[in-house]
Amino acid sequence: MLNPVWLKSLVAIVQTGSFQSAARALGLAQPTVSQHLQKLEEQVGVTLVQRSRSGCQPTTRALAFMPHATALLDMHDRALEALHGNRERVGASSNIGTYLLQPFVRSYLTTANERGEVDLRIAANPDVADQLLAGQLDAAIMEWWLPHPDFEHRLWRVEPLVLIVSPDHALAEAGCIERDRLVDLPMLGGEPGSGTGRLLTEYFGELGVPRSGMQLGSTEAVKQAVRAGLGVSLVMASAVQDEVRSGALVALPIPGLEKRLQLIWRKPPGNLHPPGFVRHLLEEADLAGL
């Protein structure tokens, strides 16, 4: 077993770039940090840091080891929290975490006593999936999920997609837009990996997916581009409620085009219950009739 104290010293050395800075960050004496690294290198049989008069540099093997070292430290912290704390680590795909989940976190933290903390981590859907599989999250709410035998999953919410246009766009008064009309519109793209491309392939079928315009990387960037008249885009309805209410954007419903957002958590051993926040979301989903 790798000593987590030694791993912390290695990570601090690599992140700060020097033994002195690492010692300061960890609140240790510099010789102690050096000793930790020496013991770790002896245990693994690999040189991890090259020392010189001008400073120190992590070796190629150390850089390759860093993601595993940080994951091990994260798992170590989670194990201690399971024994002594009550903090749940919850991941959310970017749009879900930004536009949908916050009220549920608040209601969970305020509706009952003795509930712990929620550490909400918002990231792109593929990154959330990786963290979940690596054991860095207790649960996640995602735009898409491939079933895995170690995890439970449940439909959490059905979220319609809408076409957003600027108020002076030719389609602004259309009311709604049908599939055969939508396919001819070039679309501004948002965050990659959100599963929208797969959903559109299924929705449009033989008609083909609408042409892609600029890839802007986030829903917020897409909204600004549409407001500026640079094009149109498909987004979750919840992501544009404020802009539609203020008149900055127009959202056109699209019959039959929706995302089925998934709640995922690791299967608990034996007859143990899912994490508290998962149970809270399941209760809310049951109340909504899902």
Side-chain angles (χ1 to χ4, degrees), residues 90 159 259:
V90 178
E159 178 70 12
K259 283 196 172 183

Side-chain angles (χ1 to χ4, degrees), residues 255-274:
L257 186 56
E258 58 192 22
K259 283 196 172 183
R260 300 175 66 81
L261 309 181
Q262 301 293 316
L263 171 61
I264 308 103
W265 66 97
R266 186 176 294 275
K267 290 181 179 177
N271 296 320
L272 294 179
H273 294 295

Side-chain angles (χ1 to χ4, degrees), residues 13-27:
I13 292 167
V14 174
Q15 291 179 341
T16 64
S18 76
F19 285 83
Q20 184 177 6
S21 298
R24 189 180 305 114
L26 295 171

Side-chain angles (χ1 to χ4, degrees), residues 36-56:
H36 289 169
L37 178 65
Q38 181 182 352
K39 289 181 177 180
L40 181 59
E41 289 179 327
E42 290 173 355
Q43 182 181 16
V44 300
V46 171
T47 299
L48 297 170
V49 175
Q50 295 286 359
R51 300 117 167 129
S52 67
R53 291 183 178 179
S54 60
C56 64

Side-chain angles (χ1 to χ4, degrees), residues 110-275:
T110 59
T111 54
N113 294 323
E114 299 182 1
R115 282 184 166 166
E117 302 176 7
V118 174
D119 180 3
L120 181 58
R121 302 182 177 189
I122 301 174
N125 206 97
D127 295 333
V128 173
D130 289 344
Q131 292 179 46
L132 193 61
L133 292 169
Q136 298 171 13
L137 298 172
D138 300 305
I141 304 91
M142 302 169 63
E143 295 189 37
W144 58 264
W145 167 255
L146 297 177
H148 189 285
D150 293 336
F151 293 86
E152 302 278 2
H153 70 279
R154 161 102 183 254
L155 174 66
W156 177 60
R157 184 183 180 117
V158 177
E159 178 70 12
L161 292 183
V162 295
L163 179 74
I164 56 171
V165 302
S166 61
D168 58 355
H169 193 278
L171 291 173
E173 303 296 329
C176 69
I177 188 163
E178 299 293 336
R179 185 176 67 160
D180 55 353
R181 191 176 183 188
L182 186 64
V183 75
D184 294 325
L185 297 173
M187 297 285 172
L188 300 175
E191 179 182 300
S194 65
T196 300
R198 182 186 306 142
L199 178 64
L200 294 181
T201 298
E202 296 174 356
Y203 179 75
F204 286 103
E206 72 284 355
L207 294 176
V209 176
R211 302 188 308 277
S212 295
M214 292 183 287
Q215 298 299 310
L216 300 176
S218 73
T219 299
E220 285 300 311
V222 165
K223 291 193 291 186
Q224 294 301 322
V226 172
R227 289 181 65 174
L230 297 179
V232 301
S233 188
L234 295 170
V235 300
M236 294 197 304
S238 295
V240 290
Q241 288 180 341
D242 291 342
E243 290 82 1
V244 170
R245 190 179 299 113
S246 69
L249 290 172
V250 175
L252 304 176
I254 305 167
L257 186 56
E258 58 192 22
K259 283 196 172 183
R260 300 175 66 81
L261 309 181
Q262 301 293 316
L263 171 61
I264 308 103
W265 66 97
R266 186 176 294 275
K267 290 181 179 177
N271 296 320
L272 294 179
H273 294 295

